Amino acid sequence: MIHNRSIEPGSPGSADVRQWTAPTRTRASAEGAGMSEVIITLDGHDEELAVFGSRDQYLRQIRDGLGVKVLARHGEVRVEGDRERVEQAKGVFEELRNRHRARRAVTAADVSGLIEGALRSQDHDRPDPLEIREGSRVVRPRTDGQARYLKALNEQELVFCIGPAGTGKTYLAVAVAVAALRRGKIKKIVLCRPAVEAGEKLGFLPGDLEAKINPYLRPLLDALHDLMDYDQIRRYTENDLIEIAPLAFMRGRTLNDAVIILDEGQNATVPQMKMFLTRMGQNARIVVTGDVTQVDLPPETTNGLADATERLREVPGVGIVYLDKSDIVRHPLVQAIVNAYEGTDPVRESPPMPFPPAAESAGPGRGRGAADGPTASG
């Protein structure tokens, strides 16, 4: 038996035990789309085990794959979240129950297939294929350059994206990776970055290894936090679904069924870039992002990102996307800052301080500034 109950934001009925508040940054709630709740009653312990999976494995798959809240208690499954996603979850639960009643075995692969099928049917109804939906959040390209980048991410197995700060290079790559993970297309996201200081020598850093490398990897976490809740990120990292590591830790690994993202690729050397690109295993995709105008390597060291794009330009399956200042979507001042630094040499010394215009002479002993009274030293 399935009970449906719609919870509109701010409605009086949302104040009981079923209360659920959508994250404040979700776009659907801002546009007035209501939340939905479904309660599914199961028949007996055997059906619960078939639907829940061992140690609630299937519940976690549905929760993470569809971005809904799932509560199981006393033979009931309660699903809460975005109305469209709740309907998809209900369909997955119904199919699992039907399979159990038909005495068909259910596996984790079956659950992943059902989730992917539900999301694929949603994709067919989308007017714009260049969209990424995460729960009620929609990520769309905001410029023509970002649209080309997102198209390359969907079609190519290896993508290089080069552009100035604020063009969404890392954000869009992480968004595509998170969507692929939740749909069961991949099993893992690997985010890495060269551990290079931006023109500074920080010296010894206190703490264990994780504490030492965390400052270098923080920008990748910022992108994740904008797309996922903190608890989800913690669960995914604890279960090794998301890994964040320095570039140096990639040597000797083969990564299958994964999206691997290298941020700040311009700070990788040529040997490091070759090492990183050859980590690609079966059903893996690699994305390399960077800004070749902000290289922190020693002047005599060749930039691995620029070198790789030249070497691999004609290789099938490789996409190279260049973004420019017109694609900047960060604070409006960022575009002005990029413009100011473009094509000019750095100023080597401070410009002379401008003096105020000299006053007209008003008599003996009255020179520059005398008409204004005492000097600063007086």
Side-chain angles (χ1 to χ4, degrees), residues 248-312:
F249 287 13
M250 293 295 105
R251 186 173 295 280
R253 302 182 63 183
T254 300
L255 297 167
N256 300 310
D257 301 307
V259 172
I260 313 139
I261 301 173
L262 173 61
D263 191 31
E264 297 292 330
Q266 78 278 2
N267 287 328
T269 64
V270 173
Q272 284 178 324
M273 185 62 72
K274 177 184 176 184
M275 177 272 294
F276 173 76
L277 295 178
T278 53
R279 301 307 94 197
M280 180 184 286
Q282 298 297 321
N283 189 36
R285 289 174 179 260
I286 286 182
V287 185
V288 181
T289 68
D291 179 358
V292 292
T293 67
Q294 297 193 43
V295 179
D296 299 313
L297 296 171
E300 66 276 7
T301 304
T302 304
N303 168 6
L305 176 57
D307 176 81
T309 54
E310 285 301 315
R311 293 174 184 268
L312 304 176

Short mmCIF file of all heavy atoms in Angstrom, two decimals, residues 248-312:
data_model
loop_
_atom_site.label_atom_id
_atom_site.label_comp_id
_atom_site.label_asym_id
_atom_site.label_seq_id
_atom_site.Cartn_x
_atom_site.Cartn_y
_atom_site.Cartn_z
N ALA A 248 50.84 13.73 -6.82
CA ALA A 248 51.96 12.81 -6.60
C ALA A 248 51.50 11.43 -6.15
O ALA A 248 52.22 10.44 -6.32
CB ALA A 248 52.92 13.40 -5.57
N PHE A 249 50.29 11.32 -5.60
CA PHE A 249 49.79 10.03 -5.09
C PHE A 249 49.18 9.17 -6.19
O PHE A 249 48.72 8.06 -5.93
CB PHE A 249 48.74 10.26 -4.01
CG PHE A 249 49.30 10.74 -2.70
CD1 PHE A 249 50.60 11.20 -2.60
CD2 PHE A 249 48.53 10.72 -1.55
CE1 PHE A 249 51.12 11.65 -1.40
CE2 PHE A 249 49.03 11.17 -0.33
CZ PHE A 249 50.35 11.63 -0.27
N MET A 250 49.15 9.65 -7.43
CA MET A 250 48.51 8.92 -8.52
C MET A 250 49.42 7.86 -9.14
O MET A 250 48.95 6.97 -9.85
CB MET A 250 48.05 9.88 -9.61
CG MET A 250 46.93 10.82 -9.21
SD MET A 250 45.38 9.94 -8.86
CE MET A 250 45.37 10.03 -7.06
N ARG A 251 50.71 7.96 -8.92
CA ARG A 251 51.64 7.05 -9.60
C ARG A 251 51.34 5.59 -9.23
O ARG A 251 51.08 5.26 -8.08
CB ARG A 251 53.08 7.39 -9.24
CG ARG A 251 54.10 6.57 -10.04
CD ARG A 251 55.52 7.03 -9.78
NE ARG A 251 55.75 8.38 -10.25
CZ ARG A 251 55.99 8.72 -11.51
NH1 ARG A 251 55.99 7.76 -12.44
NH2 ARG A 251 56.19 9.97 -11.85
N GLY A 252 51.40 4.71 -10.24
CA GLY A 252 51.23 3.28 -10.02
C GLY A 252 49.80 2.80 -9.95
O GLY A 252 49.55 1.61 -9.76
N ARG A 253 48.82 3.69 -10.14
CA ARG A 253 47.42 3.30 -10.00
C ARG A 253 46.76 3.12 -11.36
O ARG A 253 47.16 3.75 -12.35
CB ARG A 253 46.65 4.35 -9.19
CG ARG A 253 47.22 4.59 -7.82
CD ARG A 253 46.41 5.59 -7.05
NE ARG A 253 45.05 5.13 -6.80
CZ ARG A 253 44.12 5.85 -6.20
NH1 ARG A 253 44.40 7.07 -5.78
NH2 ARG A 253 42.92 5.36 -6.00
N THR A 254 45.74 2.28 -11.42
CA THR A 254 44.86 2.15 -12.57
C THR A 254 43.44 2.38 -12.08
O THR A 254 42.97 1.67 -11.18
CB THR A 254 44.97 0.76 -13.22
OG1 THR A 254 46.32 0.55 -13.64
CG2 THR A 254 44.05 0.67 -14.43
N LEU A 255 42.76 3.36 -12.63
CA LEU A 255 41.45 3.76 -12.13
C LEU A 255 40.38 3.36 -13.15
O LEU A 255 40.32 3.93 -14.25
CB LEU A 255 41.42 5.26 -11.86
CG LEU A 255 42.40 5.71 -10.76
CD1 LEU A 255 42.57 7.21 -10.77
CD2 LEU A 255 41.93 5.23 -9.40
N ASN A 256 39.56 2.38 -12.78
CA ASN A 256 38.46 1.91 -13.62
C ASN A 256 37.14 2.49 -13.13
O ASN A 256 36.98 2.80 -11.94
CB ASN A 256 38.38 0.38 -13.60
CG ASN A 256 39.64 -0.27 -14.11
OD1 ASN A 256 40.15 0.07 -15.17
ND2 ASN A 256 40.19 -1.21 -13.34
N ASP A 257 36.18 2.60 -14.03
CA ASP A 257 34.81 3.06 -13.68
C ASP A 257 34.87 4.33 -12.84
O ASP A 257 34.26 4.42 -11.78
CB ASP A 257 34.07 1.97 -12.90
CG ASP A 257 33.95 0.68 -13.69
OD1 ASP A 257 33.46 0.75 -14.83
OD2 ASP A 257 34.36 -0.38 -13.18
N ALA A 258 35.60 5.32 -13.32
CA ALA A 258 35.82 6.53 -12.53
C ALA A 258 35.87 7.75 -13.42
O ALA A 258 36.17 7.67 -14.62
CB ALA A 258 37.12 6.41 -11.73
N VAL A 259 35.57 8.89 -12.82
CA VAL A 259 35.88 10.20 -13.41
C VAL A 259 37.04 10.77 -12.61
O VAL A 259 36.95 10.89 -11.39
CB VAL A 259 34.67 11.15 -13.39
CG1 VAL A 259 35.10 12.55 -13.83
CG2 VAL A 259 33.57 10.64 -14.31
N ILE A 260 38.12 11.10 -13.30
CA ILE A 260 39.33 11.58 -12.64
C ILE A 260 39.56 13.02 -13.09
O ILE A 260 39.68 13.28 -14.30
CB ILE A 260 40.55 10.71 -13.02
CG1 ILE A 260 40.19 9.23 -12.87
CG2 ILE A 260 41.74 11.05 -12.15
CD1 ILE A 260 40.74 8.37 -13.97
N ILE A 261 39.60 13.94 -12.16
CA ILE A 261 39.72 15.37 -12.47
C ILE A 261 41.03 15.89 -11.91
O ILE A 261 41.30 15.75 -10.71
CB ILE A 261 38.53 16.16 -11.89
CG1 ILE A 261 37.21 15.65 -12.46
CG2 ILE A 261 38.69 17.65 -12.18
CD1 ILE A 261 35.98 16.26 -11.81
N LEU A 262 41.83 16.50 -12.77
CA LEU A 262 43.06 17.18 -12.34
C LEU A 262 42.82 18.68 -12.45
O LEU A 262 42.64 19.21 -13.55
CB LEU A 262 44.25 16.76 -13.21
CG LEU A 262 45.56 17.52 -12.97
CD1 LEU A 262 46.05 17.33 -11.54
CD2 LEU A 262 46.63 17.10 -13.96
N ASP A 263 42.83 19.34 -11.32
CA ASP A 263 42.65 20.79 -11.27
C ASP A 263 44.03 21.45 -11.24
O ASP A 263 45.02 20.85 -10.81
CB ASP A 263 41.85 21.16 -10.02
CG ASP A 263 41.40 22.60 -10.02
OD1 ASP A 263 41.17 23.15 -11.11
OD2 ASP A 263 41.30 23.19 -8.94
N GLU A 264 44.10 22.70 -11.71
CA GLU A 264 45.37 23.44 -11.76
C GLU A 264 46.43 22.65 -12.53
O GLU A 264 47.59 22.53 -12.12
CB GLU A 264 45.87 23.74 -10.34
CG GLU A 264 44.95 24.63 -9.53
CD GLU A 264 44.89 26.06 -10.05
OE1 GLU A 264 45.90 26.52 -10.63
OE2 GLU A 264 43.84 26.71 -9.90
N GLY A 265 46.01 22.11 -13.68
CA GLY A 265 46.91 21.29 -14.47
C GLY A 265 48.13 22.02 -14.98
O GLY A 265 49.14 21.39 -15.32
N GLN A 266 48.09 23.36 -15.03
CA GLN A 266 49.25 24.12 -15.50
C GLN A 266 50.43 24.02 -14.54
O GLN A 266 51.57 24.35 -14.90
CB GLN A 266 48.88 25.59 -15.71
CG GLN A 266 48.78 26.43 -14.45
CD GLN A 266 47.45 26.29 -13.73
OE1 GLN A 266 46.60 25.52 -14.16
NE2 GLN A 266 47.26 27.04 -12.65
N ASN A 267 50.18 23.54 -13.32
CA ASN A 267 51.27 23.39 -12.35
C ASN A 267 51.81 21.96 -12.29
O ASN A 267 52.56 21.62 -11.39
CB ASN A 267 50.78 23.82 -10.96
CG ASN A 267 50.63 25.32 -10.86
OD1 ASN A 267 51.37 26.06 -11.49
ND2 ASN A 267 49.66 25.78 -10.08
N ALA A 268 51.41 21.14 -13.25
CA ALA A 268 51.99 19.80 -13.39
C ALA A 268 53.14 19.86 -14.39
O ALA A 268 53.04 20.55 -15.41
CB ALA A 268 50.93 18.80 -13.86
N THR A 269 54.21 19.17 -14.10
CA THR A 269 55.31 19.09 -15.05
C THR A 269 54.95 18.11 -16.17
O THR A 269 53.94 17.40 -16.09
CB THR A 269 56.59 18.62 -14.34
OG1 THR A 269 56.38 17.28 -13.85
CG2 THR A 269 56.94 19.54 -13.17
N VAL A 270 55.77 18.06 -17.21
CA VAL A 270 55.51 17.14 -18.32
C VAL A 270 55.51 15.68 -17.84
O VAL A 270 54.60 14.92 -18.17
CB VAL A 270 56.52 17.38 -19.46
CG1 VAL A 270 56.37 16.32 -20.54
CG2 VAL A 270 56.34 18.77 -20.05
N PRO A 271 56.51 15.23 -17.06
CA PRO A 271 56.45 13.84 -16.57
C PRO A 271 55.23 13.57 -15.68
O PRO A 271 54.64 12.49 -15.75
CB PRO A 271 57.75 13.68 -15.78
CG PRO A 271 58.68 14.71 -16.34
CD PRO A 271 57.80 15.86 -16.71
N GLN A 272 54.85 14.54 -14.85
CA GLN A 272 53.67 14.36 -14.01
C GLN A 272 52.41 14.23 -14.86
O GLN A 272 51.54 13.41 -14.57
CB GLN A 272 53.53 15.53 -13.03
CG GLN A 272 54.48 15.49 -11.86
CD GLN A 272 54.31 16.70 -10.97
OE1 GLN A 272 54.05 17.81 -11.45
NE2 GLN A 272 54.46 16.50 -9.68
N MET A 273 52.29 15.05 -15.89
CA MET A 273 51.11 15.00 -16.75
C MET A 273 51.03 13.65 -17.47
O MET A 273 49.96 13.05 -17.57
CB MET A 273 51.12 16.15 -17.76
CG MET A 273 49.88 16.23 -18.62
SD MET A 273 48.36 16.54 -17.67
CE MET A 273 48.61 18.27 -17.22
N LYS A 274 52.16 13.17 -17.98
CA LYS A 274 52.17 11.86 -18.63
C LYS A 274 51.75 10.78 -17.65
O LYS A 274 50.94 9.90 -17.98
CB LYS A 274 53.56 11.57 -19.18
CG LYS A 274 53.68 10.18 -19.81
CD LYS A 274 55.11 9.89 -20.24
CE LYS A 274 55.23 8.46 -20.78
NZ LYS A 274 56.62 8.12 -21.13
N MET A 275 52.29 10.84 -16.43
CA MET A 275 51.92 9.86 -15.40
C MET A 275 50.43 9.91 -15.12
O MET A 275 49.75 8.88 -15.04
CB MET A 275 52.72 10.14 -14.13
CG MET A 275 52.39 9.25 -12.94
SD MET A 275 51.03 9.87 -11.91
CE MET A 275 51.75 11.36 -11.21
N PHE A 276 49.87 11.10 -14.99
CA PHE A 276 48.46 11.24 -14.65
C PHE A 276 47.56 10.71 -15.77
O PHE A 276 46.61 9.96 -15.53
CB PHE A 276 48.12 12.70 -14.37
CG PHE A 276 46.66 12.96 -14.16
CD1 PHE A 276 46.04 12.61 -12.98
CD2 PHE A 276 45.89 13.52 -15.18
CE1 PHE A 276 44.68 12.82 -12.79
CE2 PHE A 276 44.54 13.74 -15.00
CZ PHE A 276 43.94 13.39 -13.81
N LEU A 277 47.84 11.10 -17.00
CA LEU A 277 46.97 10.71 -18.12
C LEU A 277 46.97 9.21 -18.36
O LEU A 277 45.99 8.67 -18.88
CB LEU A 277 47.41 11.44 -19.39
CG LEU A 277 47.26 12.97 -19.37
CD1 LEU A 277 47.78 13.57 -20.66
CD2 LEU A 277 45.82 13.39 -19.12
N THR A 278 48.04 8.53 -17.97
CA THR A 278 48.11 7.08 -18.18
C THR A 278 47.49 6.30 -17.02
O THR A 278 47.61 5.07 -16.98
CB THR A 278 49.56 6.64 -18.39
OG1 THR A 278 50.37 7.13 -17.30
CG2 THR A 278 50.11 7.18 -19.69
N ARG A 279 46.79 6.96 -16.10
CA ARG A 279 46.06 6.26 -15.03
C ARG A 279 44.71 5.76 -15.52
O ARG A 279 44.01 5.05 -14.80
CB ARG A 279 45.81 7.19 -13.83
CG ARG A 279 47.04 7.80 -13.15
CD ARG A 279 48.06 6.78 -12.77
NE ARG A 279 49.07 6.65 -13.82
CZ ARG A 279 49.89 5.63 -13.93
NH1 ARG A 279 49.82 4.62 -13.09
NH2 ARG A 279 50.78 5.59 -14.91
N MET A 280 44.29 6.14 -16.72
CA MET A 280 42.95 5.85 -17.22
C MET A 280 42.75 4.35 -17.43
O MET A 280 43.48 3.71 -18.18
CB MET A 280 42.70 6.60 -18.52
CG MET A 280 41.33 6.35 -19.14
SD MET A 280 41.12 7.15 -20.75
CE MET A 280 40.92 8.85 -20.26
N GLY A 281 41.74 3.80 -16.74
CA GLY A 281 41.38 2.40 -16.90
C GLY A 281 40.11 2.24 -17.72
O GLY A 281 39.69 3.15 -18.43
N GLN A 282 39.47 1.08 -17.59
CA GLN A 282 38.24 0.81 -18.33
C GLN A 282 37.10 1.67 -17.79
O GLN A 282 36.97 1.88 -16.58
CB GLN A 282 37.87 -0.68 -18.20
CG GLN A 282 38.90 -1.63 -18.78
CD GLN A 282 39.08 -1.45 -20.28
OE1 GLN A 282 38.12 -1.22 -21.01
NE2 GLN A 282 40.34 -1.52 -20.73
N ASN A 283 36.27 2.16 -18.72
CA ASN A 283 35.11 3.00 -18.37
C ASN A 283 35.52 4.17 -17.49
O ASN A 283 34.85 4.52 -16.52
CB ASN A 283 34.02 2.17 -17.66
CG ASN A 283 32.72 2.96 -17.49
OD1 ASN A 283 32.36 3.75 -18.36
ND2 ASN A 283 32.05 2.78 -16.36
N ALA A 284 36.64 4.79 -17.82
CA ALA A 284 37.12 5.95 -17.06
C ALA A 284 37.16 7.17 -17.97
O ALA A 284 37.34 7.05 -19.19
CB ALA A 284 38.51 5.67 -16.49
N ARG A 285 36.96 8.31 -17.36
CA ARG A 285 37.07 9.59 -18.06
C ARG A 285 38.02 10.49 -17.27
O ARG A 285 38.01 10.48 -16.04
CB ARG A 285 35.71 10.27 -18.21
CG ARG A 285 34.79 9.56 -19.20
CD ARG A 285 33.41 10.17 -19.23
NE ARG A 285 32.57 9.50 -20.20
CZ ARG A 285 32.31 9.97 -21.42
NH1 ARG A 285 32.82 11.13 -21.80
NH2 ARG A 285 31.54 9.30 -22.26
N ILE A 286 38.78 11.29 -18.00
CA ILE A 286 39.74 12.20 -17.37
C ILE A 286 39.42 13.62 -17.82
O ILE A 286 39.16 13.87 -19.00
CB ILE A 286 41.19 11.82 -17.73
CG1 ILE A 286 41.61 10.57 -16.96
CG2 ILE A 286 42.15 12.96 -17.43
CD1 ILE A 286 43.05 10.14 -17.21
N VAL A 287 39.45 14.54 -16.86
CA VAL A 287 39.28 15.96 -17.14
C VAL A 287 40.47 16.70 -16.54
O VAL A 287 40.80 16.49 -15.37
CB VAL A 287 37.97 16.52 -16.55
CG1 VAL A 287 37.78 17.97 -16.96
CG2 VAL A 287 36.77 15.67 -16.97
N VAL A 288 41.11 17.54 -17.34
CA VAL A 288 42.23 18.35 -16.87
C VAL A 288 41.87 19.82 -17.08
O VAL A 288 41.53 20.23 -18.19
CB VAL A 288 43.53 18.02 -17.64
CG1 VAL A 288 44.69 18.87 -17.09
CG2 VAL A 288 43.86 16.54 -17.52
N THR A 289 41.90 20.59 -16.00
CA THR A 289 41.57 22.02 -16.10
C THR A 289 42.78 22.84 -15.67
O THR A 289 43.64 22.37 -14.91
CB THR A 289 40.38 22.37 -15.20
OG1 THR A 289 40.76 22.24 -13.82
CG2 THR A 289 39.19 21.46 -15.47
N GLY A 290 42.85 24.07 -16.15
CA GLY A 290 43.96 24.92 -15.76
C GLY A 290 43.93 26.27 -16.45
O GLY A 290 43.16 26.50 -17.39
N ASP A 291 44.77 27.15 -15.97
CA ASP A 291 44.92 28.50 -16.52
C ASP A 291 46.40 28.71 -16.81
O ASP A 291 47.21 28.86 -15.88
CB ASP A 291 44.41 29.52 -15.49
CG ASP A 291 44.54 30.96 -15.98
OD1 ASP A 291 45.06 31.18 -17.09
OD2 ASP A 291 44.15 31.88 -15.23
N VAL A 292 46.77 28.71 -18.08
CA VAL A 292 48.19 28.77 -18.45
C VAL A 292 48.80 30.15 -18.18
O VAL A 292 50.01 30.32 -18.33
CB VAL A 292 48.39 28.39 -19.94
CG1 VAL A 292 48.06 26.92 -20.16
CG2 VAL A 292 47.55 29.27 -20.85
N THR A 293 48.00 31.12 -17.77
CA THR A 293 48.56 32.43 -17.39
C THR A 293 48.91 32.50 -15.91
O THR A 293 49.42 33.52 -15.46
CB THR A 293 47.56 33.56 -17.73
OG1 THR A 293 46.41 33.44 -16.88
CG2 THR A 293 47.13 33.49 -19.18
N GLN A 294 48.62 31.44 -15.15
CA GLN A 294 48.92 31.43 -13.72
C GLN A 294 49.73 30.17 -13.38
O GLN A 294 49.26 29.29 -12.67
CB GLN A 294 47.63 31.48 -12.90
CG GLN A 294 46.82 32.76 -13.11
CD GLN A 294 45.72 32.92 -12.06
OE1 GLN A 294 45.93 32.68 -10.88
NE2 GLN A 294 44.56 33.32 -12.50
N VAL A 295 50.93 30.11 -13.90
CA VAL A 295 51.81 28.97 -13.68
C VAL A 295 52.72 29.26 -12.49
O VAL A 295 53.38 30.31 -12.44
CB VAL A 295 52.66 28.68 -14.94
CG1 VAL A 295 53.59 27.49 -14.69
CG2 VAL A 295 51.75 28.41 -16.13
N ASP A 296 52.76 28.34 -11.53
CA ASP A 296 53.56 28.51 -10.32
C ASP A 296 54.81 27.63 -10.33
O ASP A 296 55.48 27.50 -9.31
CB ASP A 296 52.72 28.19 -9.08
CG ASP A 296 51.52 29.13 -8.94
OD1 ASP A 296 51.72 30.34 -9.08
OD2 ASP A 296 50.40 28.63 -8.74
N LEU A 297 55.13 27.03 -11.48
CA LEU A 297 56.34 26.23 -11.59
C LEU A 297 57.55 27.14 -11.75
O LEU A 297 57.41 28.31 -12.15
CB LEU A 297 56.24 25.30 -12.81
CG LEU A 297 55.14 24.23 -12.78
CD1 LEU A 297 55.03 23.56 -14.15
CD2 LEU A 297 55.41 23.20 -11.70
N PRO A 298 58.75 26.64 -11.46
CA PRO A 298 59.95 27.43 -11.72
C PRO A 298 60.03 27.83 -13.19
O PRO A 298 59.56 27.08 -14.07
CB PRO A 298 61.09 26.48 -11.32
CG PRO A 298 60.47 25.51 -10.37
CD PRO A 298 59.05 25.36 -10.80
N PRO A 299 60.61 28.98 -13.51
CA PRO A 299 60.62 29.47 -14.90
C PRO A 299 61.24 28.49 -15.90
O PRO A 299 60.82 28.44 -17.05
CB PRO A 299 61.45 30.76 -14.81
CG PRO A 299 61.34 31.18 -13.38
CD PRO A 299 61.23 29.93 -12.57
N GLU A 300 62.21 27.70 -15.46
CA GLU A 300 62.87 26.78 -16.39
C GLU A 300 62.10 25.49 -16.60
O GLU A 300 62.50 24.65 -17.41
CB GLU A 300 64.28 26.45 -15.88
CG GLU A 300 64.33 25.66 -14.59
CD GLU A 300 64.22 26.52 -13.33
OE1 GLU A 300 63.97 27.74 -13.48
OE2 GLU A 300 64.38 25.97 -12.23
N THR A 301 60.98 25.28 -15.88
CA THR A 301 60.21 24.03 -15.97
C THR A 301 59.08 24.17 -16.99
O THR A 301 58.33 25.15 -16.95
CB THR A 301 59.61 23.66 -14.60
OG1 THR A 301 60.67 23.57 -13.64
CG2 THR A 301 58.90 22.33 -14.67
N THR A 302 58.95 23.20 -17.88
CA THR A 302 57.91 23.24 -18.91
C THR A 302 56.54 22.92 -18.32
O THR A 302 56.39 22.01 -17.51
CB THR A 302 58.22 22.22 -20.02
OG1 THR A 302 59.52 22.49 -20.55
CG2 THR A 302 57.20 22.30 -21.14
N ASN A 303 55.56 23.69 -18.74
CA ASN A 303 54.18 23.53 -18.28
C ASN A 303 53.57 22.27 -18.90
O ASN A 303 53.45 22.17 -20.12
CB ASN A 303 53.41 24.79 -18.67
CG ASN A 303 51.92 24.67 -18.51
OD1 ASN A 303 51.39 23.69 -18.01
ND2 ASN A 303 51.22 25.68 -18.96
N GLY A 304 53.18 21.31 -18.08
CA GLY A 304 52.66 20.04 -18.57
C GLY A 304 51.33 20.15 -19.28
O GLY A 304 51.03 19.35 -20.18
N LEU A 305 50.49 21.13 -18.92
CA LEU A 305 49.17 21.28 -19.54
C LEU A 305 49.32 21.76 -20.98
O LEU A 305 48.72 21.18 -21.90
CB LEU A 305 48.32 22.26 -18.73
CG LEU A 305 46.96 22.60 -19.29
CD1 LEU A 305 46.11 21.36 -19.50
CD2 LEU A 305 46.23 23.59 -18.38
N ALA A 306 50.09 22.81 -21.20
CA ALA A 306 50.29 23.30 -22.56
C ALA A 306 50.97 22.24 -23.43
O ALA A 306 50.62 22.07 -24.60
CB ALA A 306 51.12 24.58 -22.53
N ASP A 307 51.92 21.52 -22.85
CA ASP A 307 52.62 20.48 -23.59
C ASP A 307 51.65 19.36 -24.01
O ASP A 307 51.68 18.90 -25.16
CB ASP A 307 53.75 19.92 -22.72
CG ASP A 307 54.48 18.77 -23.39
OD1 ASP A 307 55.34 19.02 -24.24
OD2 ASP A 307 54.17 17.60 -23.05
N ALA A 308 50.78 18.94 -23.11
CA ALA A 308 49.87 17.84 -23.40
C ALA A 308 48.86 18.22 -24.48
O ALA A 308 48.54 17.40 -25.36
CB ALA A 308 49.14 17.41 -22.13
N THR A 309 48.34 19.44 -24.44
CA THR A 309 47.36 19.84 -25.45
C THR A 309 47.98 19.87 -26.84
O THR A 309 47.31 19.56 -27.83
CB THR A 309 46.75 21.20 -25.10
OG1 THR A 309 47.79 22.17 -24.90
CG2 THR A 309 45.90 21.11 -23.85
N GLU A 310 49.25 20.24 -26.94
CA GLU A 310 49.92 20.23 -28.24
C GLU A 310 50.15 18.80 -28.72
O GLU A 310 49.96 18.49 -29.89
CB GLU A 310 51.25 20.98 -28.14
CG GLU A 310 51.09 22.49 -28.08
CD GLU A 310 50.36 23.04 -29.30
OE1 GLU A 310 50.68 22.62 -30.43
OE2 GLU A 310 49.45 23.87 -29.11
N ARG A 311 50.57 17.92 -27.84
CA ARG A 311 50.86 16.54 -28.23
C ARG A 311 49.59 15.77 -28.62
O ARG A 311 49.63 14.91 -29.50
CB ARG A 311 51.55 15.80 -27.07
CG ARG A 311 52.94 16.30 -26.73
CD ARG A 311 53.45 15.57 -25.49
NE ARG A 311 54.73 16.06 -25.04
CZ ARG A 311 55.91 15.55 -25.42
NH1 ARG A 311 55.95 14.52 -26.26
NH2 ARG A 311 57.04 16.04 -24.95
N LEU A 312 48.47 16.03 -27.93
CA LEU A 312 47.27 15.21 -28.08
C LEU A 312 46.18 15.87 -28.91
O LEU A 312 45.06 15.36 -28.98
CB LEU A 312 46.72 14.86 -26.70
CG LEU A 312 47.70 14.16 -25.75
CD1 LEU A 312 47.06 13.96 -24.38
CD2 LEU A 312 48.14 12.81 -26.32
#
